[in-house]
Amino acid sequence: APAQLYALMHLVFHPFDLLVSRFVVAAIAFQLTGATPDAIFVAVVIIGLQQMISHVNADLRVGPLNYVLVGTEIHRYHHAAEERGNYGSVIPLWDIVFGTFIYEPSRVPARLGLDDPTTYPDPARFHETLLWPFRSATLPVTATSGASR
């Protein structure tokens, strides 16, 4: 797992996530809203840029805007090793609703990456890496306490 966030990281994702969240869910959402192809294009471009910005390895502080859009200041907790939170990739609404929103402007996570990197398969073993999210989890995933939840 990487120790820093980089802008190009948001282009790395699981193929199943691509299929479900990026195509199926998006297609249903756009179909239900009746959005035009031009509106869909604009939305996809804006969301793509916003997600790229959230992975920039820079300390961009945007204050209250963190409650509206996911940026670097709160997205780093999504990649934190010892903390669980900020699962939203564009807007933090569901994190706020479900109590997984972490916004502590006075600190940054101690470490990025996995709790225990030895439990993650060797990235050179591509197929094992693809199957890893579907393994039986042995440790519960819980949100840690944050200043704003």
Side-chain angles (χ1 to χ4, degrees):
Q4 292 184 322
L5 299 180
Y6 296 96
L8 296 178
M9 283 181 136
H10 104 277
L11 301 173
V12 179
F13 42 81
H14 196 280
F16 187 72
D17 176 54
L18 174 68
L19 177 67
V20 174
S21 70
R22 314 256 172 138
F23 290 125
V24 175
V25 173
I28 292 169
F30 287 128
Q31 184 66 32
L32 291 175
T33 63
T36 66
D38 290 342
I40 293 170
F41 175 77
V42 171
V44 168
V45 168
I46 290 171
I47 290 169
L49 288 172
Q50 188 274 332
Q51 288 179 331
M52 187 174 290
I53 290 168
S54 73
H55 285 96
V56 169
N57 190 21
D59 192 19
L60 301 175
R61 306 234 173 216
V62 296
L65 190 57
N66 285 299
Y67 292 94
V68 179
L69 291 172
V70 171
T72 60
E73 195 172 3
I74 63 171
H75 190 66
R76 62 177 55 115
Y77 287 98
H78 170 79
H79 293 280
E82 290 92 11
E83 304 185 59
R84 300 286 180 270
N86 297 349
Y87 299 108
S89 61
V90 179
I91 61 172
L93 174 66
W94 297 117
D95 287 308
I96 293 168
V97 169
F98 291 109
T100 56
F101 181 74
I102 301 171
Y103 174 46
E104 298 183 21
S106 62
R107 71 175 189 92
V108 297
R111 186 170 63 91
L112 300 178
L114 302 167
D115 289 336
D116 181 4
T118 62
T119 63
Y120 192 78
D122 180 356
R125 301 174 75 113
F126 183 68
H127 290 90
E128 286 182 27
T129 304
L130 288 177
L131 293 173
W132 188 76
F134 302 104
R135 80 206 183 292
S136 175
T138 57
L139 298 174
V141 177
T142 58
T144 60
S145 62
S148 294
R149 293 210 132 196

